[in-house]
Amino acid sequence: MGKVLVIGCGGVAQVAIQKCAQNDAVFSGICIASRTVSKCDDLKKKIEAQGKSRSKITTAKVNADSVDELIALIKSVKPDVVLNLALPYQDLTIMDACLACGVHYVDSANYEPEDTEDPEWRKIYEKRCKEQGFTAYFDYSWQWAYQKKFQDAGITAILGTGFDPGVTSVFSAYALKHYFDQIDTIDILDCNGGDHGYPFATNFNPEINLREVSANGSYWENGHWVETKPMEIKREYNFEQVGMKDMYLLHHEEIESLAKNIPGVKRIRFFMTFGQSYLTHMKCLENVGMLRTDPVMFEGREIVPIQFLKALLPDPASLGPRTVGKTNIGCIYTGTKDGKKRAIKIYNVCDHQECYREVGSQAISYTTGVPAMIGTMMVMTGQWKGAGVFNVEEFDPDPYMEALNKWGLPWVVDENPVMVD
Ligand code: NDP
């Protein structure tokens, strides 16, 4: 049917690309591009050696920080859609290149600057902190500002089609469409019950992950943000097929878009599970300055401590063979239907070892990579279309929900869920 250009070949992209290759009726062409083309070549060889896919796979070298390089690549590959699975730092350059070439854009994480000490960015950031009331480095304002440009160009940008954001956002649209006239509260619960056997490792890009979890928490309540200290709010929850876990309230990007797109919602919170050992390691690294995102001088050259730490930690893409256990990610909704109060939970359980057997990755990459393929498929097949910049909950959730069942992330609706106090 069409060709996708995937930027990035890391943990998440490896799954998304294998899923595109499985779905060769939709993805007849796949170009994989990143700065390290040997990684892209290795993945191409792996898929071709399996001999199961009719997708034509090509690879290319690109530095996605350069709009010119991206434009040249898009012009030579001629994709129908660009799937950005590089880092949030590259969102805007890739959107600019898509605009210049008139090609649809899809990603899985919202924009965040690499250098948070950049004075120009910092001025806008500090204004936003004051006006909006949350201090996370990432937010949607940068990409939502492209709305008119994408409308004028007549092309689609889909933001945030991973699991969270992504599936959790589509779950919300589905709950509103089929279970509620009014949703009052949303609790998003992200549980990783997996064990990789290392004292400390992150399940996706360490730099992005550690920035996210060491930041202040926040939630949306009655039309405004309430900010908390990092890990200040803790709850225990008994997750289906995983068991009892400690979870902590974090700021998370889909809260921002759901607050805008789910009419009249009164409260949205996001919780993620962490073990005590992870938290102790993180606190220690933070205390000694290893989570700093600004450059420091070391033996005559500049290094960014969190990037140096990334080089020391296990590559998340290598955790697949050693990770056992399951993830359970989903949302609890309360609200009213036909004048009666109701509560439901929609969730998916994913087994790390089953993912490894299928695609050679652990479940965090899998639960992000599968929805990245599905969101791209929605655009490629025209099931989701429109000119402008969209979050996934703005489209019809039904074909996406059906695709989750078909492509490896089946979901459950529990009409009598355990609530979070
Ligand atoms: P990795 O670090 O494993 O992979 C990042 C990839 O991007 C690498 O292949 C890297 O290749 C490439 N890349 C980085 N910089 C550039 C550049 N300048 N030009 C071209 N390619 C570049 O990250 P993950 O796979 O763990 O995460 C990918 C994305 O998914 C991130 O944005 C992350 O935030 C998001 N994510 C979303 C989730 C969700 O549920 N929505 C959950 C987990 C992750 P190279 O260095 O060779 O260029």
Side-chain angles (χ1 to χ4, degrees), residues 7-14 33-37 39 62-66 84-91 108-109 160-166 203-206 208 252-253 310 315-317 364-365 367-368:
I7 313 282
C9 190
V12 173
Q14 300 249 342
S34 80
R35 290 168 305 185
T36 322
V37 77
K39 265 200 188 173
V62 73
N63 179 357
D65 292 323
S66 157
N84 166 16
L85 294 175
L87 297 178
Y89 313 147
Q90 283 86 41
D91 285 4
S108 76
T161 179
F163 207 105
D164 40 341
N203 295 295
F204 68 98
N205 183 283
I208 305 297
H252 222 246
E253 63 197 62
K310 177 180 181 238
D315 177 0
I364 304 301
S365 304
T367 54
T368 311

Coordinates of all heavy atoms in Angstrom, one line a residue, residues 7-14 33-37 39 62-66 84-91 108-109 160-166 203-206 208 252-253 310 315-317 364-365 367-368, ligand 1:
I7 N 12.5 7.2 11.5 CA 13.7 7.8 11.9 C 14.0 7.3 13.3 O 13.1 7.4 14.2 CB 13.5 9.4 12.1 CG1 12.9 10.0 10.8 CG2 14.9 10.0 12.4 CD1 13.8 10.2 9.6
G8 N 15.1 6.7 13.5 CA 15.5 6.0 14.7 C 15.5 4.5 14.6 O 14.7 4.0 13.8
C9 N 16.4 3.9 15.3 CA 16.5 2.4 15.2 C 16.8 1.9 16.6 O 17.6 0.9 16.8 CB 17.5 1.9 14.2 SG 17.4 0.2 13.8
G10 N 16.3 2.5 17.6 CA 16.5 2.1 19.0 C 15.5 1.1 19.5 O 14.9 0.4 18.6
G11 N 15.4 1.0 20.8 CA 14.5 -0.1 21.4 C 13.1 -0.1 20.8 O 12.6 -1.1 20.4
V12 N 12.5 1.1 20.8 CA 11.1 1.2 20.4 C 11.0 1.0 18.9 O 10.1 0.3 18.4 CB 10.5 2.6 20.8 CG1 9.1 2.8 20.2 CG2 10.5 2.8 22.3
A13 N 11.9 1.6 18.1 CA 11.8 1.5 16.6 C 12.0 0.1 16.2 O 11.4 -0.3 15.2 CB 12.9 2.4 16.0
Q14 N 12.9 -0.7 16.9 CA 13.1 -2.0 16.5 C 11.8 -2.8 16.5 O 11.6 -3.7 15.6 CB 14.1 -2.7 17.4 CG 15.5 -2.0 17.5 CD 16.6 -2.8 16.9 OE1 16.5 -4.0 16.8 NE2 17.7 -2.2 16.6
A33 N 16.1 4.9 9.1 CA 17.3 5.8 9.1 C 17.6 6.3 10.5 O 16.8 6.6 11.3 CB 16.9 7.0 8.2
S34 N 18.9 6.4 10.7 CA 19.4 7.0 12.0 C 20.9 7.4 11.7 O 21.4 7.2 10.6 CB 19.3 6.1 13.2 OG 20.3 5.2 13.2
R35 N 21.6 7.9 12.7 CA 23.0 8.3 12.5 C 23.9 7.1 12.4 O 24.9 7.1 11.7 CB 23.5 9.2 13.7 CG 22.8 10.6 13.7 CD 23.1 11.3 15.0 NE 22.7 10.5 16.1 CZ 22.8 10.9 17.4 NH1 23.2 12.1 17.7 NH2 22.3 10.1 18.4
T36 N 23.5 6.0 13.0 CA 24.3 4.8 13.0 C 23.7 3.8 12.0 O 22.9 3.0 12.4 CB 24.4 4.1 14.4 OG1 24.5 5.1 15.4 CG2 25.6 3.2 14.5
V37 N 24.1 3.9 10.7 CA 23.4 3.1 9.7 C 23.6 1.6 9.9 O 22.7 0.8 9.5 CB 23.7 3.7 8.3 CG1 25.0 3.2 7.9 CG2 22.6 3.3 7.3
K39 N 23.3 -0.1 12.5 CA 22.2 -0.7 13.3 C 20.9 -0.9 12.4 O 20.2 -1.9 12.6 CB 21.8 0.3 14.4 CG 22.4 0.1 15.8 CD 21.6 0.8 16.8 CE 22.3 0.8 18.2 NZ 21.6 1.6 19.1
V62 N 21.1 9.4 8.6 CA 20.6 10.8 8.7 C 20.8 11.4 10.1 O 20.8 10.6 11.1 CB 19.1 10.9 8.4 CG1 18.2 10.3 9.5 CG2 18.6 12.3 8.1
N63 N 21.2 12.6 10.1 CA 21.2 13.3 11.4 C 20.0 14.1 11.5 O 19.8 15.1 10.8 CB 22.5 14.2 11.6 CG 22.5 14.9 12.9 OD1 21.5 14.8 13.7 ND2 23.5 15.7 13.2
A64 N 19.0 13.7 12.3 CA 17.7 14.3 12.4 C 17.7 15.7 13.1 O 16.6 16.3 13.2 CB 16.7 13.4 13.0
D65 N 18.9 16.1 13.5 CA 18.9 17.5 14.0 C 19.0 18.5 12.9 O 18.9 19.7 13.1 CB 20.2 17.7 14.9 CG 20.0 16.9 16.2 OD1 18.9 16.8 16.7 OD2 21.1 16.3 16.7
S66 N 19.3 18.0 11.7 CA 19.5 18.9 10.5 C 18.2 18.8 9.6 O 18.0 17.7 9.0 CB 20.7 18.5 9.8 OG 20.6 18.9 8.4
N84 N 8.5 9.2 13.5 CA 9.6 9.7 14.3 C 9.8 8.9 15.5 O 9.0 9.1 16.5 CB 9.4 11.2 14.6 CG 10.3 11.7 15.6 OD1 11.3 11.1 16.0 ND2 10.0 12.9 16.2
L85 N 10.8 8.0 15.6 CA 11.1 7.2 16.8 C 12.5 7.5 17.2 O 13.2 6.7 17.8 CB 10.8 5.7 16.6 CG 9.3 5.4 16.4 CD1 9.1 3.9 16.1 CD2 8.5 5.8 17.6
A86 N 13.0 8.7 16.9 CA 14.3 9.2 17.4 C 14.0 9.7 18.8 O 13.1 9.2 19.5 CB 14.9 10.2 16.5
L87 N 14.5 10.8 19.2 CA 14.3 11.3 20.6 C 13.4 12.5 20.5 O 13.3 13.2 19.5 CB 15.6 11.6 21.3 CG 16.5 10.3 21.4 CD1 17.8 10.7 22.1 CD2 15.8 9.3 22.3
P88 N 12.8 12.9 21.6 CA 11.9 14.1 21.6 C 12.6 15.4 21.1 O 12.0 16.3 20.7 CB 11.5 14.3 23.1 CG 11.6 12.9 23.7 CD 12.8 12.3 22.9
Y89 N 14.0 15.4 21.3 CA 14.8 16.5 20.8 C 14.6 16.8 19.3 O 14.8 17.9 18.9 CB 16.3 16.3 21.1 CG 16.6 15.8 22.4 CD1 17.7 14.9 22.6 CD2 15.9 16.2 23.6 CE1 18.1 14.5 23.9 CE2 16.3 15.7 24.8 CZ 17.4 14.8 25.0 OH 17.7 14.4 26.2
Q90 N 14.3 15.7 18.5 CA 14.2 15.9 17.1 C 12.8 16.2 16.6 O 12.6 16.3 15.4 CB 14.8 14.6 16.4 CG 16.3 14.6 16.4 CD 16.9 13.9 17.6 OE1 16.3 12.9 18.1 NE2 18.0 14.5 18.2
D91 N 11.8 16.3 17.5 CA 10.4 16.4 17.0 C 10.3 17.6 16.0 O 9.6 17.5 15.0 CB 9.5 16.6 18.2 CG 9.2 15.3 19.0 OD1 9.8 14.3 18.6 OD2 8.4 15.4 19.9
S108 N 5.9 9.5 19.0 CA 5.5 8.9 20.2 C 5.8 9.6 21.5 O 5.5 9.2 22.6 CB 6.1 7.5 20.3 OG 7.5 7.6 20.7
A109 N 6.4 10.8 21.4 CA 6.7 11.6 22.6 C 6.8 13.1 22.2 O 7.3 13.4 21.1 CB 8.1 11.1 23.1
G160 N 2.1 11.4 19.7 CA 2.0 10.6 20.9 C 1.3 9.3 20.6 O 0.4 8.9 21.4
T161 N 1.8 8.4 19.7 CA 1.2 7.1 19.6 C 2.2 6.0 20.0 O 2.7 5.2 19.3 CB 0.6 6.8 18.1 OG1 0.1 5.5 18.1 CG2 1.6 7.0 17.0
G162 N 2.4 6.0 21.4 CA 3.1 4.9 22.0 C 2.1 4.3 22.9 O 0.9 4.2 22.6
F163 N 2.5 3.8 24.1 CA 1.4 3.3 25.0 C 0.9 4.4 25.9 O -0.3 4.7 26.0 CB 1.9 2.1 25.9 CG 0.7 1.3 26.3 CD1 0.5 0.0 25.7 CD2 -0.2 1.7 27.3 CE1 -0.6 -0.7 26.0 CE2 -1.3 0.9 27.6 CZ -1.5 -0.3 27.0
D164 N 1.9 5.1 26.6 CA 1.4 6.3 27.4 C 2.4 7.4 27.2 O 3.4 7.4 27.8 CB 1.2 5.9 28.8 CG 2.3 5.0 29.4 OD1 3.0 4.3 28.6 OD2 2.4 4.9 30.6
P165 N 2.0 8.4 26.3 CA 0.8 8.6 25.6 C 0.6 7.7 24.5 O 1.6 7.2 23.9 CB 0.9 10.1 25.1 CG 2.3 10.2 24.8 CD 3.0 9.5 25.9
G166 N -0.6 7.5 24.1 CA -1.0 6.7 22.9 C -2.2 5.9 23.2 O -3.3 6.3 23.2
N203 N 14.1 1.2 31.3 CA 13.5 0.3 30.2 C 13.3 1.0 28.9 O 13.0 0.4 27.9 CB 12.1 -0.1 30.7 CG 12.1 -0.9 31.9 OD1 12.7 -2.0 31.8 ND2 11.7 -0.4 33.0
F204 N 13.5 2.3 28.9 CA 13.7 3.0 27.6 C 14.8 4.0 27.8 O 15.4 4.1 28.8 CB 12.3 3.6 27.0 CG 11.7 4.7 27.7 CD1 11.9 6.0 27.3 CD2 10.9 4.5 28.9 CE1 11.3 7.1 28.0 CE2 10.4 5.6 29.5 CZ 10.6 6.9 29.1
N205 N 15.0 4.8 26.7 CA 16.2 5.7 26.7 C 16.4 6.3 28.1 O 15.6 7.1 28.6 CB 15.9 6.8 25.7 CG 17.0 7.8 25.6 OD1 17.2 8.6 26.4 ND2 17.8 7.6 24.6
P206 N 17.6 6.0 28.7 CA 17.8 6.4 30.1 C 17.7 8.0 30.3 O 17.2 8.4 31.4 CB 19.2 6.0 30.4 CG 19.6 5.0 29.3 CD 18.7 5.3 28.2
I208 N 16.0 10.2 28.7 CA 14.6 10.7 28.7 C 13.8 10.2 29.9 O 13.1 10.9 30.6 CB 13.8 10.2 27.4 CG1 14.6 10.6 26.1 CG2 12.4 10.7 27.3 CD1 14.7 12.1 25.9
H252 N 2.8 13.7 33.4 CA 3.0 12.9 32.2 C 2.2 13.7 31.1 O 1.2 14.3 31.3 CB 2.4 11.5 32.4 CG 3.2 10.5 31.7 ND1 2.8 9.7 30.7 CD2 4.5 10.1 32.0 CE1 3.8 8.9 30.3 NE2 4.8 9.1 31.1
E253 N 2.8 13.5 29.8 CA 2.3 14.4 28.8 C 0.9 14.3 28.4 O 0.2 15.2 28.0 CB 3.2 14.4 27.6 CG 3.3 13.0 26.9 CD 4.5 12.9 25.9 OE1 5.6 13.0 26.5 OE2 4.3 12.8 24.7
K310 N 24.2 7.7 30.7 CA 23.5 6.8 29.7 C 24.5 5.8 29.1 O 24.2 4.7 28.8 CB 22.9 7.7 28.5 CG 22.3 6.8 27.4 CD 21.7 7.7 26.3 CE 21.0 6.8 25.3 NZ 21.6 7.0 24.0
D315 N 22.1 -0.8 27.8 CA 21.2 -0.4 26.8 C 19.8 -1.0 26.9 O 19.7 -2.3 27.0 CB 21.8 -0.8 25.4 CG 21.0 -0.4 24.2 OD1 19.9 0.2 24.4 OD2 21.4 -0.7 23.1
P316 N 18.7 -0.2 27.0 CA 17.4 -0.8 27.2 C 17.1 -1.9 26.2 O 16.4 -2.9 26.5 CB 16.5 0.4 27.0 CG 17.3 1.6 27.3 CD 18.7 1.2 26.9
A317 N 17.6 -1.7 24.9 CA 17.4 -2.7 23.9 C 18.0 -4.1 24.2 O 17.7 -5.1 23.6 CB 17.9 -2.2 22.5
I364 N 8.5 -3.1 27.4 CA 8.3 -1.6 27.4 C 8.5 -1.2 25.9 O 7.7 -0.4 25.4 CB 9.3 -0.9 28.3 CG1 9.2 -1.4 29.7 CG2 9.2 0.6 28.2 CD1 7.8 -1.2 30.4
S365 N 9.5 -1.7 25.2 CA 9.7 -1.4 23.8 C 8.5 -1.9 23.0 O 8.0 -1.2 22.1 CB 11.0 -2.0 23.3 OG 12.1 -1.6 24.0
T367 N 5.3 -2.5 24.0 CA 4.1 -1.8 24.2 C 4.1 -0.4 23.6 O 3.1 0.3 23.5 CB 3.7 -1.7 25.7 OG1 4.8 -1.1 26.5 CG2 3.3 -3.1 26.3
T368 N 5.3 0.1 23.3 CA 5.4 1.4 22.6 C 5.5 1.2 21.1 O 4.9 2.0 20.4 CB 6.7 2.2 23.1 OG1 6.7 2.2 24.5 CG2 6.7 3.6 22.6
Ligands
NDP1 P1 16.7 4.8 22.0 O1 17.6 5.7 22.7 O2 16.8 3.3 22.2 O3 16.7 5.1 20.4 C1 16.7 6.4 19.9 C2 17.0 6.2 18.4 O4 17.0 7.5 17.9 C3 18.4 5.6 18.2 O5 18.2 4.7 17.2 C4 19.2 6.8 17.7 O6 20.1 6.3 16.7 C5 18.2 7.7 17.1 N1 18.6 9.1 17.1 C6 18.9 9.8 18.2 N2 19.3 11.1 17.9 C7 19.2 11.1 16.5 C8 19.5 12.1 15.5 N3 20.0 13.3 15.8 N4 19.3 11.7 14.2 C9 18.9 10.5 13.9 N5 18.6 9.6 14.7 C10 18.8 9.8 16.0 O7 15.2 5.3 22.5 P2 13.9 4.5 22.6 O8 13.7 3.6 21.4 O9 13.8 3.9 24.0 O10 12.8 5.7 22.5 C11 12.4 6.2 21.3 C12 11.3 7.3 21.5 O11 10.1 6.6 22.1 C13 11.7 8.4 22.5 O12 11.2 9.6 22.0 C14 10.9 8.0 23.7 O13 10.6 9.2 24.5 C15 9.7 7.4 23.2 N6 8.9 6.6 24.1 C16 7.6 6.7 24.1 C17 6.8 5.9 25.0 C18 5.3 6.0 25.0 O14 4.7 5.1 25.6 N7 4.7 7.0 24.4 C19 7.5 4.9 25.9 C20 8.9 4.8 25.7 C21 9.6 5.6 24.8 P3 21.5 7.0 16.4 O15 22.2 7.3 17.7 O16 22.2 5.9 15.6 O17 21.3 8.2 15.5

